Amino acid sequence: MKKSLFILGTILLTTIAVQTGIETYASNNSFNQEQASKPKTQYSELEFDTHEEAKDNIQVIPEKSGIPVDLGNNITGYQEGGAGSRFITFHIKNYGVFIRTNSILGQDNVALSKEVAQILLSIEKYPETDRGLIRADFASGMMSITWASDTFVKSVTSSDLRVSIEKALTK
């Protein structure tokens, strides 16, 4: 039941973000495009009975799945795609990283993934966890960080990846 509530919460977060006008990256290949002075953020948490149960409710990114892509700084991403979307995954610290772009709109997933990797390498501190997930969804404009903390799964979503991570450090 709790897992379905978390999935429902993720769907609601996306719906809220779209309805409140969070800017998307659907028509631009640049990650550094102008954004509103204060990107809207959404925080959520879901409590479980144990830490293991909380951790098990965070999507696991496979170590090596797809076509290898060099993202620089000794980071290898793995690319897959289908139905107009392209995905690149990799790992940094205790976080799996999932990047989605829309190839129909001309988004360059390798270039955007390299930019995300550089941003993530420049960030010194992340919420402490033994399992987390960072999602950069350029097709929808939603950037999120999700992590297990004690018996909670916590998540921060916004239109700016740095803002999501910075806000996560305050939770």
Side-chain angles (χ1 to χ4, degrees), residues 61-144:
I61 300 295
E63 286 296 323
K64 297 178 181 179
S65 177
I67 301 167
V69 176
D70 181 11
L71 300 178
N73 293 312
N74 295 320
I75 296 176
T76 300
Y78 294 89
Q79 178 175 273
E80 296 183 38
S85 290
R86 296 225 184 260
F87 311 95
I88 290 186
T89 58
F90 60 94
H91 290 84
I92 191 161
K93 305 197 186 227
N94 288 335
Y95 287 84
V97 181
F98 177 88
I99 299 166
R100 180 174 83 107
T101 59
N102 186 316
S103 56
I104 294 171
L105 296 174
Q107 294 175 329
D108 183 340
N109 72 327
V110 174
L112 289 168
S113 296
K114 286 180 178 182
E115 289 184 50
V116 168
Q118 292 304 309
I119 287 169
L120 295 177
L121 287 172
S122 73
I123 296 171
E124 294 181 22
K125 189 173 181 182
Y126 292 81
E128 290 186 26
T129 188
D130 51 353
R131 182 174 301 158
L133 174 66
I134 295 171
R135 294 179 65 93
D137 189 336
F138 290 95
S140 71
M142 301 304 297
M143 311 293 163
S144 67

Side-chain angles (χ1 to χ4, degrees), residues 5-15 44 135 146 155 157:
L5 287 175
F6 186 71
I7 293 168
L8 177 61
T10 303
I11 293 167
L12 288 173
L13 287 177
T14 304
T15 303
S44 66
R135 294 179 65 93
T146 303
S155 183
T157 303

